[in-house]
Amino acid sequence: MSIWRRISDFITSTAIDAFSSIIEAVRTAFEGDPETRRRVAFSIAMIALSAKMAKADGIVTQAEVNAFHEIFHVPPQYQDQVSRLYNLAKQDVAGYEAYATQLASLCGTGKPNCKMLEDILDGLFHIAKADGALHDQELIFLGTVAEIFALDEDKFDRILARHVNRGQADPFLVLGISRDASFEEARKQYRALVRENHPDMLIARGVPEEFIAIANQRIAAINAAWEKVEKDLKAYESV
């Protein structure tokens, strides 16, 4: 069953007047079905935090809206329900820190599927950069979410490097290797990242199939970084 059908049925059958109540309702409604709960939790996390982040810099641009829809391919029959969730997230008195804390628990911080929290942060970066710049308030938002998700500085920098050009060190940051790594060390890390970020791996840890655009973009960034690093390391070792 489509994740959007799941969410639509859940919202239709659940009495809600604030987004914070949705999070607890998900925990209860899918208590006996952890796989579906992770998929629904991921989707709701992206909707809620996207809504909050859209105003982080004070302006919601059309580019940010378009980026949201690049990740969220919502069938027409379910768009009203998704819009309802998005608007609730914007209007709820709870701040994004409270959402992120609840969602981290729901998605499994410290548990085997906590990698999914990196996927959520990756999607938020995609939306934040859509207007051509990563604003200071957006970076603060993303950094705070990363801290709540218990993602260390290295992981945050690696995600940041995939989305923001930071100059000469960028491909090494994307791959998570030092500039003095050997060719074999770099290739081993590259292959590990490709395996870890394959779309099938994201699905296995709870990312709905509808959001695999995140995985495809990530793999493209990893491949581009490896192409640059491979060329540089081969040239260096041949000297």
Side-chain angles (χ1 to χ4, degrees):
M1 181 185 294
S2 164
I3 190 62
W4 299 119
R5 172 71 180 276
R6 290 276 192 182
I7 291 174
S8 180
D9 290 347
F10 168 72
I11 296 300
T12 300
S13 63
T14 305
I16 53 172
D17 56 8
F19 199 92
S20 54
S21 64
I22 294 177
I23 297 172
E24 290 308 310
V26 169
R27 190 189 308 276
T28 301
F30 300 102
E31 185 175 4
D33 186 355
E35 181 179 350
T36 298
R37 188 182 74 175
R38 287 195 299 269
R39 295 176 71 229
V40 172
F42 175 89
S43 307
I44 288 178
M46 284 301 305
I47 293 169
L49 294 175
S50 295
K52 289 291 187 181
M53 191 184 64
K55 289 191 173 181
D57 61 353
I59 302 173
V60 180
T61 68
Q62 186 59 47
E64 288 173 325
V65 174
N66 292 342
F68 179 87
H69 287 289
E70 287 175 7
I71 297 175
F72 288 78
H73 299 292
V74 185
Q77 66 267 35
Y78 304 127
Q79 288 181 359
D80 287 347
Q81 297 292 4
V82 173
S83 295
R84 183 183 176 192
L85 287 176
Y86 192 88
N87 291 330
L88 274 173
K90 288 194 302 183
Q91 296 168 8
D92 199 321
V93 294
Y96 73 89
E97 298 94 339
Y99 285 164
T101 299
Q102 287 181 295
L103 290 163
S105 173
L106 193 61
C107 293
T109 298
K111 298 179 181 179
N113 67 314
C114 66
K115 283 285 295 181
M116 188 168 62
L117 297 174
E118 294 184 42
D119 302 326
I120 293 170
L121 190 64
D122 212 12
L124 292 173
F125 263 101
H126 176 77
I127 295 170
K129 71 174 184 181
D131 59 358
L134 188 61
H135 302 281
D136 289 343
Q137 289 304 311
E138 290 172 328
L139 192 57
I140 291 171
F141 179 104
L142 293 164
T144 302
V145 170
E147 289 179 6
I148 293 170
F149 283 0
L151 301 179
D152 62 31
E153 187 174 346
D154 287 343
K155 289 181 180 178
F156 182 83
D157 284 346
R158 189 180 302 174
I159 296 172
L160 174 64
R162 288 200 296 264
H163 294 279
V164 179
N165 184 358
R166 299 180 70 186
Q168 188 178 13
D170 185 50
F172 290 87
L173 279 173
V174 171
L175 297 176
I177 58 175
S178 64
R179 295 192 65 83
D180 60 357
S182 69
F183 177 81
E184 286 303 321
E185 290 171 337
R187 183 166 61 178
K188 182 179 179 180
Q189 172 69 356
Y190 162 68
R191 289 175 173 174
L193 287 175
V194 169
R195 288 193 300 271
E196 179 181 300
N197 293 289
H198 189 279
D200 289 346
M201 292 297 292
L202 270 71
I203 292 172
R205 61 183 176 246
V207 177
E209 293 181 16
E210 291 86 347
F211 301 97
I212 295 307
I214 292 175
N216 293 333
Q217 292 166 8
R218 187 181 302 173
I219 289 293
I222 290 169
N223 284 337
W226 171 244
E227 183 177 350
K228 177 66 167 61
V229 167
E230 180 184 30
K231 180 180 178 181
D232 289 351
L233 290 179
K234 281 185 174 179
Y236 176 79
E237 293 190 354
S238 65
V239 175

